[in-house]
Amino acid sequence: MIIVMKPGSTDADIEEVSRRVRAFGFKTHLSRGEVRTIVGVVGDDRGKEQLLALQSLECVESVVRILQPFKLASREAHPEDTQFQVHGVPVGGKQIVVMAGPCSVESREQLMEVATKAKAAGATFLRGGAFKPRTSPYAFQGLEEEGLKLLADARKATGLPVVTEVMQPDKVDVVAEYADMLQIGARNVQNFSLLKRVAESGKPVLLKRGMSTTIQEWLLSAEYLLAGGNPRVILCERGIRTFETATRFTLDLNAVPVIKKLSHLPVIVDPSHGTGHWEYVAAMARAGLAAGADGLMIEVHNKPEEALSDGPQSLKPDRFKKLMDELRPLAQILGRIL
Ligand code: PEP
Ligand code: MN
């Protein structure tokens, strides 16, 4: 951080600020301009909120952050893209990952049909919710452990690794027993006790962006996972709240290049939740890849008209296949593999 002194600050003011900075264990570097003096804080000051509090001194004009507040998630700390494997599937390299499946696991027949068709179309992960975060307490809440068992059976049948949501810390162990990757949903991105517990599980994590979290807040949530010793994190842009009502959310594709600049973590795009309408999913899936995403999450349902959650945004298996066939040449143009 740098501390900008007000014009007219005395030597005693500057010394007082420098003394306080040194008291936090940092060195200082003074830069005296014609009008203003800047006290530079030398050392890694991320997380030192007390330095920001110096703004309340009369003689201080502003305290400005220089380093990103997230250390481990930043490109400054880790210039290379993060790459890892989940159940043998490479993530974060040239290979595009496609996580496909129903919003909710509803029955064995439903899941098996969708999983088999998604795999045949080229999906690389099976998604499906067993614990569902629903806005209404009267809506279908998920099959819970029964749903996890069905997901594990579908993995056995198809070979696709399973990604599924965990909503509360005391369910992390049971979800981790069946899943290959734990999803933290938009509504839990700042559930810090869940983030800490999921970090401890050692399972790869899909961290969705909250509908009202800034990119910086989202990366600080990823920082909880990395700081907890879990480096295998994928970020998922799934749309944010804006004034627009024609779509369910506004898919913030700006986030993709911004994340690529700020962080080394892989980032995927979810055009299903991002638009809320199946007709728009293909266009925004193409746009997501063109923006530089490392993959996609797409909801697929064998009978969207009967789905217990998110039917309006779910693709039928044949439409999903058509989309995958369209995305393959696009991936090639982008220098990626699908
Ligand atoms: C989901 O993936 O079905 C889901 C609930 O997503 P989000 O947390 O992005 O709303
Ligand atoms: Mn959903």
Side-chain angles (χ1 to χ4, degrees):
M1 288 185 214
I2 55 171
I3 298 159
V4 183
M5 303 296 295
K6 279 192 182 144
S9 295
T10 63
D11 284 351
D13 292 334
I14 295 165
E15 180 43 34
E16 171 61 9
V17 167
S18 302
R19 187 191 62 72
R20 286 175 183 266
V21 171
R22 286 195 299 269
F24 291 127
F26 299 104
K27 294 201 170 103
T28 55
H29 177 270
L30 283 193
S31 165
R32 287 182 189 269
E34 291 207 347
V35 182
R36 281 184 182 74
T37 294
I38 290 175
V39 181
V41 178
V42 181
D44 189 346
D45 55 23
R46 287 171 287 197
K48 276 276 178 219
E49 298 290 318
Q50 301 98 313
L51 287 170
L52 290 174
L54 296 180
Q55 214 149 242
S56 58
L57 292 172
E58 284 282 336
C59 58
V60 170
E61 187 165 277
S62 57
V63 180
V64 184
R65 283 187 207 269
I66 303 294
L67 289 174
Q68 300 293 355
F70 38 88
K71 302 182 198 185
L72 302 171
S74 79
R75 262 208 202 272
E76 288 157 358
H78 189 299
E80 305 297 315
D81 285 345
T82 281
Q83 297 186 30
F84 54 87
Q85 298 214 338
V86 181
H87 197 71
V89 175
V91 176
K94 276 188 178 284
Q95 184 84 41
I96 298 285
V97 296
V98 180
M99 303 180 178
C103 179
S104 299
V105 177
E106 298 171 8
S107 68
R108 177 175 294 276
E109 298 66 40
Q110 172 239 21
L111 186 63
M112 287 300 169
E113 182 178 345
V114 173
T116 313
K117 291 183 172 168
K119 161 87 180 182
T124 51
F125 278 80
L126 174 64
R127 65 143 287 141
F131 293 93
K132 294 303 303 176
R134 305 307 302 278
T135 302
S136 165
Y138 308 117
F140 177 60
Q141 303 284 309
L143 294 182
E144 305 192 341
E145 191 165 356
E146 186 49 35
L148 296 175
K149 289 182 181 161
L150 294 176
L151 284 165
D153 288 351
R155 174 184 48 217
K156 214 177 200 176
T158 60
L160 291 175
V162 163
V163 54
T164 192
E165 178 159 357
V166 58
M167 288 167 49
Q168 57 197 79
D170 62 359
K171 295 289 186 211
V172 170
D173 286 338
V174 68
V175 178
E177 196 182 316
Y178 296 99
D180 300 288
M181 174 168 248
L182 305 181
Q183 175 172 328
I184 295 182
R187 292 156 189 81
N188 268 316
V189 65
Q190 289 190 307
N191 180 340
F192 302 115
S193 40
L194 179 65
L195 292 168
K196 287 180 193 170
R197 187 65 198 82
V198 164
E200 278 168 16
S201 76
K203 285 272 174 180
V205 186
L206 180 71
L207 181 65
K208 288 197 144 194
R209 181 178 183 180
M211 56 194 84
S212 302
T213 42
T214 64
I215 290 171
Q216 183 171 108
E217 288 164 341
W218 185 20
L219 286 170
L220 280 165
S221 292
E223 188 77 13
Y224 268 87
L225 299 167
L226 301 182
N230 192 339
R232 293 190 293 169
V233 176
I234 304 179
L235 300 167
C236 179
E237 165 59 47
R238 48 76 72 210
I240 55 174
R241 278 262 151 83
T242 67
F243 54 82
E244 184 53 72
T245 55
T247 48
R248 185 178 178 193
F249 294 99
T250 296
L251 188 63
D252 179 19
L253 290 183
N254 291 349
V256 176
V258 173
I259 291 284
K260 287 284 170 198
K261 177 172 177 188
L262 295 179
S263 178
H264 52 88
L265 293 173
V267 57
I268 71 168
V269 164
D270 171 353
S272 304
H273 293 88
T275 63
H277 298 268
W278 68 265
E279 295 107 306
Y280 308 141
V281 168
M284 297 315 285
R286 293 192 293 266
L289 292 193
D294 298 296
L296 298 167
M297 170 169 265
I298 296 180
E299 286 188 337
V300 181
H301 198 292
N302 53 335
K303 291 181 190 151
E305 66 283 4
E306 291 177 17
L308 297 180
S309 61
D310 288 350
Q313 67 194 35
S314 299
L315 297 186
K316 290 182 180 160
D318 59 339
R319 288 193 193 274
F320 174 67
K321 182 183 178 325
K322 187 165 166 275
L323 171 60
M324 291 295 284
D325 291 344
E326 280 170 21
L327 292 177
R328 241 169 247 116
L330 174 61
Q332 200 178 3
I333 290 168
L334 295 168
R336 312 289 298 251
I337 304 159
L338 179 62

